[in-house]
Amino acid sequence: MLEVSQRGHAMPLSPYRRLTPYADAAKQRGVHVYHLNIGQPDIETPPTMLAAVQQANIRVLEYSPAAGFPSYRRALASYYQQVGVSVTPEDILVTTGGSEAIFFALMSCLNPGDELIIPEPFYGAYTAFSVATDVRIVPVTSRMADGFALPPIEEFERRITPRTKALLLCTPNNPTGYVYSREELEQLKDLCVRHNLYLLSDEAYREFCYDSDFVSALHLSGADDHIVVLDTISKRYSACGARIGAFVTKNKALQQTAFKFAQMRVSPPGLAQVLAEAALELPDTYFDHTKAEYQARRDLMVRRLRAMPGVSCPVPGGAFYVMAHLPVDDCDRFCQWLLESFSYEDQTVMLSPASGFYANKSLGQQQVRMAYVLNCDALDKALTCLEQALAVYPGREVPVAEAALDQSA
């Protein structure tokens, strides 16, 4: 009997797409679904980026170089230099989205069976990449009560073994929205230098920090050979479908190793690089509007959530996600119920259960990740759906104060 691979059995479903069949079924019933489950912004992709592709004088769409077009790498190096990261085009490998940058990093930095330390909750796809590369994730749990700040550095040090080869961080963080401070990054850098580990820094949301300045791992000194930045244009320019990212490191041996994996897939998308290069000609003021828009959405979401009985959440400092505690028995069950059994004025909302963002699934049992990627009007309606759903959900946990009122009635 033919069987699929053990790796295939172990590969998890996406925590933000797993419930898509239920959302599709709800839409077929005529229910409007507000998608807060995935980081797909509704902000318009800059028209000049699309125009660059439409107006490109291309007669034959050839392979691009395996490392990406030289002109794009030069422009990207200039972009990094403008944000205080001193790199050259030779330090940059253009990838097919940030996902490929993550894959190249794990394949280049770790051997099968090696260990990768990650603060949890973490981006759900990290689990899939660890399965694909036969790398073991070792989590260090951050707490909602602390705003998902970096746990004490001693907790990281205690988890280091002879198999530990790297530490992976996402800042601003997906799914928590936490922005790691320079002090926290310096602690991690010193740890990696002390134990001869790689520091992999996923910086997809660099432009979206609302309450503090962004600090890149490459802003840190004295650890160039240890640091790899994983990047993407997907969220920066609302161009998720372009699939253009970057693997950035000053470690020459590591860059050459990643280049061999890049040759394996031949080349990154050519037309998408044309689009991405045009993005780097946008004025410096481009991000002023998008950042202000996301901050307004964040403030609306946090305000509405905190007004709902039994719901709590920290204020995320960056990216466009909120992790919230809901007064329900099980968020996996609740999120499926929202799509299968609930509607309010023929509308419902799709959320991501937080279990998919933890190595220990029980830790996220009463948490969800919500992406504030819809305009404020749509977001307000989606949150009204959530508020109404929480009031009637059969597995709702009654807050203590409300329970006391019920008993006295």
Side-chain angles (χ1 to χ4, degrees):
M1 179 178 175
L2 289 174
E3 294 185 2
V4 301
S5 66
Q6 292 180 356
R7 185 182 289 110
H9 281 297
M11 183 65 65
L13 289 168
S14 164
Y16 32 86
R17 292 183 184 269
R18 181 175 60 79
L19 296 175
T20 297
Y22 300 101
D24 291 342
K27 293 172 187 177
Q28 290 173 3
R29 296 194 304 271
V31 176
H32 179 81
V33 178
Y34 291 104
H35 284 274
L36 304 186
N37 60 298
I38 192 167
Q40 172 55 66
D42 66 355
I43 289 176
E44 186 179 80
T45 305
T48 54
M49 294 172 63
L50 301 174
V53 176
Q54 294 163 349
Q55 298 167 12
N57 184 19
I58 298 173
R59 297 185 64 185
V60 177
L61 190 58
E62 300 177 341
Y63 292 123
S64 70
F69 286 129
S71 61
Y72 178 51
R73 293 167 69 203
R74 287 193 297 269
L76 198 51
S78 296
Y79 158 79
Y80 286 123
Q81 290 160 13
Q82 290 169 9
V83 297
V85 174
S86 179
V87 295
T88 68
E90 290 70 33
D91 299 326
I92 300 169
L93 177 67
V94 180
T95 60
T96 306
S99 298
E100 190 174 70
I102 297 166
F103 177 71
F104 286 174
L106 298 194
M107 293 295 287
S108 301
C109 297
L110 295 94
N111 293 314
D114 282 346
E115 295 172 353
L116 174 68
I117 296 177
I118 313 179
E120 68 174 351
F122 50 73
Y123 175 44
Y126 292 160
T127 301
F129 285 114
S130 72
V131 171
T133 57
D134 195 17
V135 165
R136 178 172 174 259
I137 289 177
V138 177
V140 180
T141 306
S142 60
R143 300 170 63 248
M144 184 177 287
D146 300 326
F148 296 110
L150 191 76
I153 202 68
E154 294 77 16
E155 293 190 26
F156 289 86
E157 194 135 28
R158 280 198 294 268
R159 286 164 174 80
I160 294 174
T161 75
R163 298 308 302 263
T164 307
K165 294 298 187 296
L167 190 149
L168 174 57
L169 192 75
C170 180
T171 184
N173 188 268
N174 175 6
T176 68
Y178 185 79
V179 179
Y180 294 96
S181 67
R182 179 177 287 274
E183 180 183 3
E184 289 170 322
L185 291 173
E186 290 283 2
Q187 289 181 324
L188 292 174
K189 179 206 75 175
D190 291 343
L191 180 74
C192 289
V193 170
R194 192 160 62 247
H195 291 277
N196 200 30
L197 308 176
Y198 290 107
L199 176 57
L200 312 178
S201 185
D202 184 343
E203 301 181 359
Y205 301 90
R206 176 185 295 108
E207 263 72 26
F208 306 122
C209 296
Y210 312 115
D211 307 313
S212 60
D213 293 334
F214 172 73
V215 180
S216 168
L218 282 170
H219 285 146
L220 310 176
S221 61
D224 284 353
D225 280 349
H226 295 261
I227 293 171
V228 183
V229 163
L230 314 170
D231 208 355
T232 175
I233 71 166
S234 291
K235 311 307 166 71
R236 186 167 301 138
Y237 303 111
S238 194
C240 298
R243 311 313 303 139
I244 289 293
F247 175 99
V248 187
T249 184
K250 297 182 182 181
N251 183 321
K252 299 303 181 186
L254 191 58
Q255 188 66 255
Q256 290 168 6
T257 299
F259 178 71
K260 289 189 284 186
F261 288 106
Q263 287 183 315
M264 175 186 70
R265 59 85 164 105
V266 185
S267 68
L271 286 177
Q273 289 179 80
V274 173
L275 178 140
E277 189 168 342
L280 298 173
E281 297 175 4
L282 290 166
D284 293 340
T285 56
Y286 167 73
F287 292 107
D288 294 346
H289 169 73
T290 52
K291 184 175 176 180
E293 174 64 20
Y294 282 131
Q295 186 164 351
R297 297 176 184 190
R298 176 199 70 169
D299 295 346
L300 170 63
M301 178 173 276
V302 170
R303 176 176 56 80
R304 288 291 313 271
L305 288 172
R306 288 182 165 183
M308 298 179 194
V311 177
S312 60
C313 67
V315 179
F320 38 65
Y321 305 101
V322 171
M323 285 282 281
H325 171 93
L326 302 184
V328 299
D329 56 354
D330 180 274
C331 279
D332 285 271
R333 189 177 301 126
F334 173 68
C335 291
Q336 183 172 328
W337 175 86
L338 280 171
L339 299 169
E340 270 192 316
S341 306
F342 172 80
S343 69
Y344 172 72
E345 297 182 348
D346 295 323
Q347 302 172 103
T348 192
V349 60
M350 186 174 180
L351 312 175
S352 290
S355 61
F357 303 100
Y358 284 92
N360 182 347
K361 306 304 179 187
S362 65
L363 291 178
Q365 191 173 20
Q366 292 183 292
Q367 296 176 11
V368 293
R369 186 197 74 169
M370 287 176 276
Y372 43 95
V373 291
L374 305 181
N375 65 73
C376 284
D377 181 60
L379 189 59
D380 203 37
K381 292 176 180 176
L383 290 166
T384 295
C385 285
L386 175 61
E387 185 174 36
Q388 294 294 324
L390 288 171
V392 299
Y393 175 59
R396 173 173 173 262
E397 291 191 349
V398 180
V400 174
E402 186 177 333
L405 286 173
D406 289 343
Q407 291 171 3
S408 63

